[in-house]
């Protein structure tokens, strides 16, 4: 970097052999972000991710609104997983304000979070499928996703942006006969999910493009601070739901999915297997949930946090989401920092793409479970 | 601050704006006693915002905090020890040594987040590293917050003013992009970082770092 130029600008020397490609920000394979890729023939020499095209300043906006007003806009970074991105915020605010959550609300929150995780993973899987040229794998998850959207619509009234979790519990109670309906749809989905295995995961074309490509070793996964399915695909047994259980996860029966290979195939498979675990959690939570009771602790009008700070995290579809909230005796938080899985996994991109074939770029890229809007916040 | 107490949080919390100089007619017409009675009838709790009850200090976290404070003595300050959370503050000159100790002796191995917090009143910016561990089974629940304060200049010139601190990228590789974000949003230059460029902001951004408190959102 030359000193005369402002930060972020640099002058490149031109090499005839190396070609620079801008993948994105409009390219359908990149999402709303740009990858500045240098290729030597068909092989990637270097990759410089350039996110920020959907940076909306969520953290800054949060400093201007009180704890309740922050709910709807904080779920905007990832509307497919809106319950999970609100979850740590609610936990953090509850810790700051000293709010107890009713038992039934805790179970409903877990059910909403797991339904939302399935919605996210199915959406991600649909895009993963279409980018690898597998149209069936776009149609199936996109269709099955409606099952869960319908359930969350029945719970919250909205299809995607639910704003269902609030500090103190959930916004409203479950509709009548929800348990029965949820159980029926989840059981159907478990059967349906097994069909994905044959059509997608045992497909030789998928295996040829993903097996052995973009290998991330266990040591590097830890060193780079990756999270979520990327970390677990590299053989690290770490899931916030198990390691630091929040709400009622410690009472529920599920396993952490860990694969040792660390390649694109493992990264594509871990979220798929986690959907089975999500279904298990939902069924178990429906069984153990108190059948009646309050679902929301009433807050005081315009609650204020003390001179305090809190860091809470949960496991989302893309890895751990941590909220660092600083309060200073005001109804608005002084500072909100959202540390999201997509942003943390971004660091792998230059690392994994180096030396990879350009044609493998979409498989490696989407295997990172990267959601650009969430990473930019 | 009297406007907040008269509002019904259940009905209006998502639509009403909070403002200190309230023009709310309801707050003028209702005295504080009436409001209290009104909310008691509705079953709303009007006790102090944060209940003051001392929590017992957990022993495992205390042992970690003792370990680091016995090693560095008055070079660092232990801000709090809670269940699963420890926070220490150190001077920026010592931060690399402290971070190396945390990595090698306490076995934290990655950074979860790097946050900046702007304190214009004391002319300081705080940089906080939230560290976690994947390898040590006992530390799975723990987050170690390592904070340092850097001087803040009223007219920032990111990269060439006194707002700078040593980078922890050589100690924790995973802070690389987090520090780049902190640089562009707060103007904190991390010395020794190999690639201190902007990440999210556009290249031609010509205003002050946007997450500082003196950068105001339009219309607010």
């Amino acid at each position: 970097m030359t000193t005369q130029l402002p930060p972020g600008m640099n002058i490149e020397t031109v090499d005839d052999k190396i070609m620079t490609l801008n993948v994105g920000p409009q390219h359908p394979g990149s999402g709303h972000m740009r990858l500045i890729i240098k290729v030597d023939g068909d092989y990637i020499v270097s990759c410089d991710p350039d996110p920020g095209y959907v940076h909306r300043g969520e953290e800054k906006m949060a400093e201007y609104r009180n704890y309740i007003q922050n709910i709807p806009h904080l779920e905007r970074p990832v509307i497919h997983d809106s319950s999970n991105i609100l979850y740590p915020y609610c936990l953090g605010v509850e810790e700051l304000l000293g709010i107890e959550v009713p038992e039934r609300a805790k179970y409903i929150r877990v059910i909403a979070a797991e339904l939302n995780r399935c919605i996210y993973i199915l959406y991600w899987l649909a895009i993963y499928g279409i980018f690898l040229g597998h149209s069936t794998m776009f149609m199936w998850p996109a269709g099955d996703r409606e099952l869960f959207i319908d359930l969350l619509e029945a719970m919250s009234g909205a299809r995607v942006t639910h704003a269902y979790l609030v500090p103190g519990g959930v916004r409203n109670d479950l509709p009548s006969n929800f348990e029965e309906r949820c159980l029926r749809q989840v059981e159907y989905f478990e059967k349906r999910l097994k069909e994905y295995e044959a059509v997608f995961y045992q497909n030789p074309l998928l295996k040829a493009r993903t097996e052995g490509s973009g290998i991330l070793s266990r040591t590097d996964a830890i060193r780079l601070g990756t999270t979520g399915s990327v970390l677990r695909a590299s053989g690290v047994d770490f899931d916030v739901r198990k390691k630091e259980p929040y709400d009622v996860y410690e009472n529920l029966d599920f396993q952490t999915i860990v694969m040792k290979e660390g390649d694109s195939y493992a990264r594509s498979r871990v979220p798929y297997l986690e959907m089975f675990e999500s279904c298990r959690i939902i069924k178990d939570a429906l069984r153990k949930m108190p059948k009646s009771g309050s679902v929301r602790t009433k807050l005081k009008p315009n609650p204020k946090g003390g001179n305090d700070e809190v860091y809470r995290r949960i496991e989302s579809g893309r890895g751990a989401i941590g909220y660092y909230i600083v309060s200073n005796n005001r109804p608005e938080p002084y500072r909100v920092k959202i540390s999201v899985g997509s942003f943390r996994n971004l660091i792998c991109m230059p690392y994994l793409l180096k030396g990879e074939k350009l044609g493998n770029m979409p498989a490696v890229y989407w295997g990172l479970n990267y959601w650009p809007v969430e990473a930019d916040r | 601050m009297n406007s907040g107490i008269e509002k019904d949080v259940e009905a209006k919390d998502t639509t009403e704006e909070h403002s200190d100089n309230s023009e709310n007619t309801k707050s003028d017409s209702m005295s504080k006693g009436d409001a209290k009675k009104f909310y008691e009838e509705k079953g709303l709790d009007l006790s102090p915002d944060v209940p003051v009850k001392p929590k017992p200090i957990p022993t495992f976290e205390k042992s970690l905090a003792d370990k680091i404070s016995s090693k560095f003595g008055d070079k660092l300050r232990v801000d709090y020890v809670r269940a699963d959370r420890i926070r220490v503050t150190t001077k920026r000159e010592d931060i690399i040594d402290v971070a190396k100790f945390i990595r090698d002796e306490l076995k934290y191995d990655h950074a979860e987040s790097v946050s900046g917090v702007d304190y214009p009143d004391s002319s300081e910016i705080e940089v906080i590293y939230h560290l976690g561990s994947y390898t040590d089974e006992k530390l799975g629940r723990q987050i170690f917050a390592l904070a340092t304060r850097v001087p803040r200049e009223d007219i920032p010139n990111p990269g060439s003013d006194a707002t700078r601190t040593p980078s922890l990228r050589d100690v924790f590789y995973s802070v690389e992009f987090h520090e780049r974000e902190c640089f562009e949003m707060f103007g904190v230059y991390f010395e020794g970082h190999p690639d201190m460029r902007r990440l999210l902001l556009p290249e031609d951004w010509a205003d002050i770092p946007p997450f500082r408190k003196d950068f105001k959102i339009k219309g607010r």
Side-chain angles (χ1 to χ4, degrees):
Chain A
M1 194 177 94
T2 50
T3 45
Q4 294 88 353
L5 290 165
M9 289 186 142
N10 50 8
I11 294 171
E12 285 177 31
T13 49
V14 179
D15 186 337
D16 286 343
K17 204 161 160 263
I18 309 287
M19 189 162 75
T20 307
L21 289 178
N22 279 299
V23 184
Q26 287 91 8
H27 188 274
S30 77
H32 320 279
M33 67 116 50
R34 183 166 68 140
L35 293 167
I36 303 162
I37 288 178
K38 293 208 168 106
V39 284
D40 179 2
D42 208 12
Y43 289 91
I44 296 170
V45 178
S46 76
C47 162
D48 181 17
D50 178 22
Y53 287 88
V54 268
H55 175 67
R56 289 179 284 190
E58 297 287 345
E59 297 172 6
K60 186 81 179 175
M61 273 151 69
E63 295 171 13
Y64 287 78
R65 287 159 175 82
N66 71 26
Y67 289 106
I68 305 296
Q69 288 166 338
N70 270 329
I71 293 171
H73 82 85
L74 281 179
E75 69 177 10
R76 288 309 189 268
V78 46
I79 54 172
H80 312 102
D81 208 0
S82 61
S83 297
N84 275 315
I85 196 161
L86 276 179
Y87 215 140
Y89 175 75
C90 296
L91 293 171
V93 173
E94 279 151 16
E95 195 177 321
L96 274 179
L97 305 177
I99 305 163
E100 290 290 325
V101 183
E103 191 69 9
R104 182 171 160 86
K106 288 183 181 174
Y107 279 96
I108 297 177
R109 293 215 292 207
V110 167
I111 292 168
E114 293 303 325
L115 289 172
N116 236 320
R117 190 188 315 276
C118 289
I119 292 177
Y120 173 76
I121 294 173
L122 287 170
Y123 190 86
W124 166 83
L125 198 54
I127 297 177
Y128 195 93
I130 196 72
F131 279 137
L132 297 183
H134 199 303
S135 301
T136 312
M137 212 48 203
F138 175 72
M139 296 297 180
W140 284 13
D144 292 338
R145 183 171 159 260
E146 295 292 327
L147 287 174
F148 295 106
I149 288 181
D150 285 349
L151 286 173
L152 266 162
E153 192 180 4
M155 285 166 105
S156 68
R159 273 187 94 245
V160 276
T161 50
H162 311 105
Y164 188 55
L165 274 62
V166 291
V170 290
R171 194 152 45 76
N172 51 274
D173 204 346
L174 297 174
S176 58
N177 82 1
F178 176 82
E179 286 89 340
E180 191 190 320
R181 183 178 162 191
C182 184
L183 201 61
R184 197 174 63 233
Q185 299 206 7
V186 167
E187 274 170 357
Y188 162 76
F189 179 69
E190 276 183 313
K191 280 186 219 127
R192 172 77 176 149
L193 203 49
K194 289 185 185 125
E195 295 172 20
Y196 290 19
E197 176 78 28
V199 81
F200 191 59
Y201 286 103
Q202 299 307 330
N203 190 321
L205 287 175
L206 175 85
K207 287 194 164 186
R209 290 187 69 177
T210 54
E211 269 185 344
S213 83
I215 293 177
L216 183 68
S217 70
R218 186 178 193 274
T219 330
D220 285 329
I222 294 168
R223 190 172 64 104
L224 296 171
T226 58
T227 178
S229 57
V230 179
L231 183 69
R232 290 190 288 274
S234 292
V236 184
D237 183 2
F238 191 93
D239 187 319
V240 183
R241 290 175 291 173
K242 278 280 184 208
K243 296 287 173 180
E244 193 190 346
Y246 44 96
D247 279 356
V248 288
Y249 273 108
E250 53 198 333
N251 306 340
L252 301 171
D253 172 36
F254 69 104
Q255 285 175 349
T256 315
I257 305 293
V258 183
M259 287 179 82
K260 290 202 168 51
E261 290 83 356
D263 56 0
S264 289
Y265 184 73
R267 282 196 290 275
S268 74
R269 198 171 161 77
V270 165
Y272 163 72
L273 295 175
E274 277 175 357
M275 281 196 282
F276 287 105
E277 298 304 314
S278 288
C279 292
R280 261 174 81 182
I281 295 173
I282 294 167
K283 288 197 290 187
D284 204 24
L286 283 171
R287 216 171 16 245
K288 290 178 180 164
M289 180 170 68
K291 294 292 169 253
S292 61
S294 163
V295 294
R296 184 177 184 181
T297 308
K298 282 190 175 178
L299 307 191
K300 285 186 304 301
N302 239 343
K304 293 189 265 298
N307 260 325
D308 203 358
E309 59 170 57
V310 64
Y311 187 91
R312 286 305 295 262
R313 55 179 176 167
I314 60 110
E315 187 75 28
S316 77
R318 298 153 309 287
I321 298 183
Y323 270 69
Y324 173 59
I325 308 173
V326 184
S327 77
N328 65 339
N329 286 321
R330 295 270 305 152
E332 306 91 10
Y334 188 73
R335 168 94 169 100
V336 175
K337 159 84 188 181
I338 317 166
S339 170
V340 285
S342 303
F343 188 78
R344 286 172 62 190
N345 287 341
L346 184 63
I347 193 171
C348 299
M349 225 172 273
Y351 185 86
L352 291 181
L353 285 175
K354 196 179 270 181
E356 203 62 47
K357 266 187 178 172
L358 186 61
N360 276 344
M361 192 274 293
V364 173
Y365 175 93
W366 281 96
L368 288 177
N369 218 335
Y370 179 77
W371 190 250
V373 196
E374 188 199 43
D376 293 356
R377 284 154 286 148
Chain B
M1 198 66 65
N2 64 346
S3 69
I5 213 145
E6 278 86 7
K7 283 180 191 166
D8 186 349
V9 73
E10 287 298 308
K12 296 179 180 173
D13 52 13
T14 51
T15 51
E16 280 274 345
E17 291 290 359
H18 165 74
S19 71
D20 276 352
N21 48 348
S22 171
E23 293 156 23
N24 197 339
T25 50
K26 197 181 163 194
S27 68
D28 298 335
S29 63
M30 199 187 254
S31 79
K32 221 163 193 170
D34 288 344
K36 199 178 169 193
K37 205 176 148 200
F38 178 72
Y39 282 109
E40 272 170 6
E41 279 168 12
K42 292 198 109 187
L44 281 167
D45 178 22
L46 287 177
S47 58
D49 276 359
V50 182
V52 196
K53 53 176 177 190
K55 284 182 185 160
I57 294 174
T59 47
F60 176 68
E61 288 82 348
K62 186 86 176 73
S63 71
L64 287 179
D66 286 346
K67 220 173 176 178
I68 193 164
S69 59
S70 66
K71 163 84 178 164
F72 290 98
D74 53 1
K75 278 186 180 170
L76 58 80
R77 189 182 74 229
V78 179
D79 292 320
Y80 62 69
V81 179
R82 291 178 193 158
D84 310 330
R85 302 285 184 269
I86 306 167
R87 183 194 143 114
V88 300
T89 309
T90 178
K91 287 205 180 71
R92 55 179 167 161
E93 298 88 69
D94 305 322
I95 193 162
I96 295 224
D97 291 340
V98 176
K100 278 185 179 154
F101 181 81
I102 292 170
R103 182 191 63 183
D104 298 335
E105 305 294 325
L106 303 185
K107 307 291 180 205
Y108 287 88
D109 53 22
H110 70 281
E112 295 249 327
S113 112
V114 180
S115 327
V117 187
D118 188 15
Y119 292 103
D121 296 340
S122 58
S123 272
E124 280 177 319
I125 293 175
E126 194 170 62
V127 179
I128 303 155
Y129 297 84
H130 287 99
L131 309 170
S133 179
Y134 289 144
T135 37
D136 196 327
E137 195 65 30
K138 290 197 293 297
L139 296 177
R141 294 178 70 92
Q142 308 288 328
I143 295 285
F144 196 104
L146 172 64
T148 187
R149 293 219 170 191
V150 297
R152 172 192 197 274
E153 293 190 12
D154 288 337
I155 301 155
N157 186 6
S160 35
D161 59 8
T163 312
R164 47 180 61 233
T165 175
S167 168
L168 291 191
R169 198 261 196 180
D170 291 338
V171 187
F172 295 108
Y173 196 97
S174 42
V175 301
E176 179 172 339
F177 281 19
H178 295 281
E179 283 187 345
R180 277 177 71 181
E181 192 200 350
C182 192
F183 167 62
E184 62 180 354
M185 296 301 175
F186 288 91
V188 181
Y189 188 81
F190 291 89
E191 286 165 336
H193 191 288
D195 192 21
M196 199 82 265
R197 287 176 299 137
R198 282 184 182 151
L199 187 63
L200 299 173
L201 286 182
E203 286 99 340
D204 55 352
W205 177 264
D207 212 329
I208 61 170
F211 279 11
R212 291 205 182 185
K213 287 285 175 186
D214 43 5
F215 183 91
K216 299 283 182 200
I217 299 181
K218 262 183 203 162
R220 286 268 167 183

